[in-house]
Amino acid sequence: MKKILLSSILSLSMVLTFAIPLSAAPSIQLVINSEVVNPEAPPVSVAGRTMVSLASLKPLKLNLVWNAGQKTVTVNAPGVKERLLLTIGQKEASYGEKTLTLDVPAQLNKNRVVVPLRFSEAFKAEVEWKTEKNTVIIRSADQVEKYKKLYQGTDLVAARKIAVDLPSKDENTLHNTEEGVYYQYIFPEGETLRYYYVVGNLLTYYEIKDDVKHLVWEGVEEDSRKKMKEKGKRPPVDKTQYYFLQERVDHSVTYGKVGTDKPVTQALPKNTMGLADIIVPISGEVRKDQIK
């Protein structure tokens, strides 16, 4: 059997005049559930607070109902029974049976409702600022635990499955040129946040930073294995790596340490749901790349 061995984010039609001035905010990258959001309406600054359009929060799967007569927006999120009622120009908002006070009221900016960025916390979303990168990361309530496992979890298998299933908008520019195709993941020993995905002789190296999965490098191994067509920043050389490989024909899974002649082959369980399920425990391997 052949294996690749490596060295190692609601647009509303309405018009309203404001008393509070709106100004463009410094360029902010908004990441929601690992998706980089590029809204039509960029964030704006109101009284020193960063405001974002409700449209940019669509990845949180919010349900929005606009009442033109009362100039209110009713918002609810999946899994949260309380509804948030925002009134344009008013700092007080109702959330279920409670009354919330916003630092800055909801506003209209170019026919779009904008709200304080931390508004999403009303729905138990987690908001994290990366000041040095001018990036804000939002994780919906139903995703918070997943990211804890990804970054802080000691269960390597669970964390690695989350990592490979994260979405990425990056696309390969190189392509597999082999007839016999197999699929493979390769991880540095004890790590989760960077890995190789291999399809035949096409290798793609990913890194996960600030919830976003980036395609950093890609390469196609030539038959001679002496030359490689590649693009991007070449990954570091890892002393020890572990691979998980699935054959296309019989779907059997082989895993083990890269460079050894003692692989383990097994059949996938009947309840296998996706390719990530080929990742299994490696005896004695301990995670070492947790981020607190």
Side-chain angles (χ1 to χ4, degrees), residues 75-84 95-96 123-124:
V75 190
N76 69 288
V80 181
K81 66 178 182 178
E82 291 83 4
R83 293 186 178 186
L84 181 69
Y95 182 62
F123 296 100
K124 302 178 182 179

Side-chain angles (χ1 to χ4, degrees), residues 62-250:
L62 301 179
N63 180 47
L64 306 132
V65 179
W66 168 249
N67 186 313
Q70 298 182 5
K71 293 184 172 58
T72 61
V73 180
T74 303
V75 190
N76 69 288
V80 181
K81 66 178 182 178
E82 291 83 4
R83 293 186 178 186
L84 181 69
L85 179 64
L86 296 166
T87 302
I88 300 300
Q90 293 186 13
K91 286 189 175 183
E92 289 192 343
S94 65
Y95 182 62
E97 298 180 354
K98 299 178 181 179
T99 298
L100 303 178
T101 300
L102 305 174
D103 289 341
V104 179
Q107 302 286 315
L108 283 180
N109 179 40
K110 297 180 180 179
N111 295 332
R112 290 179 173 83
V113 175
V114 295
V115 294
L117 186 57
R118 291 194 176 277
F119 141 94
S120 56
E121 291 180 336
F123 296 100
K124 302 178 182 179
E126 186 175 82
V127 179
E128 180 180 350
W129 274 96
K130 296 285 184 177
T131 307
E132 69 282 1
K133 299 180 180 179
N134 216 27
T135 296
V136 61
I137 299 171
I138 302 178
R139 302 164 188 145
S140 58
D142 62 334
Q143 298 293 306
V144 170
E145 188 60 32
K146 179 181 79 174
Y147 287 99
K148 285 183 179 178
K149 290 180 181 179
L150 174 64
Y151 292 120
Q152 290 101 38
T154 57
D155 186 335
L156 265 172
V157 173
R160 284 172 170 172
K161 288 183 177 183
I162 291 170
V164 301
D165 281 340
L166 284 184
S168 176
K169 289 187 177 181
D170 296 341
E171 297 182 355
N172 286 96
T173 57
L174 301 179
H175 303 282
N176 166 58
T177 60
E178 286 192 342
E179 293 183 6
V181 177
Y182 56 88
Y183 310 95
Q184 184 177 188
Y185 293 116
I186 302 176
F187 288 88
E189 182 180 18
E191 296 192 36
T192 286
L193 304 177
R194 60 190 185 95
Y195 69 93
Y196 297 86
Y197 175 52
V198 185
V199 179
N201 64 344
L202 172 64
L203 300 84
T204 307
Y205 175 73
Y206 290 101
E207 291 183 352
I208 299 169
K209 294 182 178 180
D210 300 327
D211 288 13
V212 180
K213 184 160 68 177
H214 303 276
L215 191 165
V216 176
W217 173 89
E218 58 184 325
V220 174
E221 287 195 340
E222 309 256 330
D223 289 339
S224 64
R225 298 205 175 258
K226 293 181 180 179
K227 294 182 179 180
M228 176 175 285
K229 182 186 295 185
E230 59 183 308
K231 289 188 178 182
K233 182 179 178 181
R234 184 183 283 266
V237 176
D238 300 295
K239 181 178 180 181
T240 305
Q241 298 173 314
Y242 291 100
Y243 69 91
F244 309 89
L245 181 150
Q246 181 185 43
E247 297 287 352
R248 183 179 183 181
V249 178
D250 63 6

Side-chain angles (χ1 to χ4, degrees), residues 36-53:
V36 178
V37 179
N38 297 304
E40 293 180 4
V44 293
S45 180
V46 179
R49 299 293 183 183
T50 299
M51 309 281 281
V52 296
S53 68

